[in-house]
Amino acid sequence: MDATKPRSIAKAESPADTAREESSEVTLLIERAKNGDADAFGDLMRLYERRVIGIGVQMGLSRDDALDACQDVFIKVFRYIHRFRSGESFFKWLYRIALNSIHDHMRHARQPGVVSLDNLDRGMARQIEDKSPALADRIENDDLTSRLLAELPCLSRRERIVFVLRDFQEMPTSEIGKILGVAQVTVRRHCMSARQKLRERLFPRGH
């Protein structure tokens, strides 16, 4: 297993599962929200806000900045939900808004590039699993997770987005490609590049 690939760092179910399971109830909430139903919009916000906050933290924001970014995301969703096309994937539309808002907040974050496990919700952080005894002897899993998060600023914007969606959120390559509007081969290239950079930072040769 790739030492830079966490099994999961989010408590909620994966976005891939969400995409497949957007129920008729969720579809109804979306339609009601588009028609100005504030209660329906509140239900949608409660359904997705934890995932948005999780992505913000995983992208490198502090807990407070991730909360601010989440608030901005849903302000934009409220403002533009009437433009959402019925029948399309709501979570993909939401993720595009979230990624852009999170990136904007990253440029003005109070502590850019500083990430601690303390910033994660209780239960959100899970150990990186690796069956290699050598790795287990070299570093504690929690410490590796913390170091991995702290090294994310070495990635380009696109590499970081792909890495977080693929390896933290466990989203299929095809879904990431649709969200970002790029080919799957491009997603795989960014993911491989991100993993290689992180591997070199975490485990430099000669150590």
Side-chain angles (χ1 to χ4, degrees):
M1 176 179 172
D2 192 334
T4 63
K5 182 179 179 182
R7 292 295 295 272
S8 176
I9 200 167
K11 184 177 181 180
E13 65 270 24
S14 73
D17 293 335
T18 302
R20 289 191 295 268
E21 298 175 2
E22 283 189 350
S23 65
S24 57
E25 181 180 357
V26 172
T27 300
L28 180 59
L29 286 175
I30 294 168
E31 292 304 315
R32 286 170 53 197
K34 289 175 66 175
N35 290 323
D37 188 325
D39 290 337
F41 182 82
D43 289 340
L44 281 175
M45 183 173 176
R46 283 186 288 274
L47 183 62
Y48 290 99
E49 64 182 349
R50 186 177 180 84
R51 295 189 186 96
V52 173
I53 294 169
I55 292 175
V57 172
Q58 292 161 358
M59 289 284 287
L61 292 177
S62 69
R63 168 72 177 172
D64 288 342
D65 286 324
L67 287 169
D68 288 344
C70 181
Q71 183 178 26
D72 287 348
V73 167
F74 283 100
I75 288 174
K76 291 176 181 177
V77 170
F78 181 79
R79 184 179 300 166
Y80 298 114
I81 195 169
H82 66 281
R83 298 183 183 179
F84 174 72
R85 297 179 181 177
S86 300
E88 294 187 353
S89 171
F90 180 76
F91 103 96
K92 293 176 188 175
W93 182 77
L94 173 64
Y95 265 48
R96 282 192 287 268
I97 295 174
L99 291 171
N100 287 328
S101 294
I102 289 168
H103 183 258
D104 288 341
H105 275 262
M106 286 173 62
R107 292 184 297 180
H108 306 289
R110 286 184 280 273
Q111 291 181 305
V114 178
V115 183
S116 168
L117 290 179
D118 293 336
N119 288 328
L120 299 174
D121 273 343
R122 180 180 300 176
M124 284 183 68
R126 293 174 56 187
Q127 292 181 336
I128 294 178
E129 298 178 6
D130 193 289
K131 298 181 180 179
S132 168
L135 176 61
D137 291 339
R138 287 173 60 188
I139 190 169
E140 293 292 333
N141 282 341
D142 280 349
D143 184 46
L144 177 57
T145 304
S146 183
R147 288 175 57 198
L148 173 63
L149 290 170
E151 293 294 347
L152 289 182
C154 78
L155 306 179
S156 69
R157 179 194 179 194
R158 185 57 60 87
E159 288 170 342
R160 189 187 303 204
I161 290 173
V162 169
F163 182 77
V164 167
L165 294 184
R166 182 69 188 91
D167 288 346
F168 282 167
Q169 295 286 311
E170 299 181 344
M171 187 181 295
T173 300
S174 59
E175 300 294 338
I176 298 173
K178 291 175 183 177
I179 289 173
L180 299 180
V182 299
Q184 291 187 49
V185 65
T186 302
V187 174
R188 287 192 288 269
R189 177 166 53 82
H190 285 307
C191 191
M192 290 176 61
S193 176
R195 291 175 182 173
Q196 181 62 31
K197 287 181 180 179
L198 291 170
R199 189 180 298 112
E200 291 174 353
R201 296 291 288 264
L202 291 169
F203 307 111
R205 293 184 179 181
H207 292 271

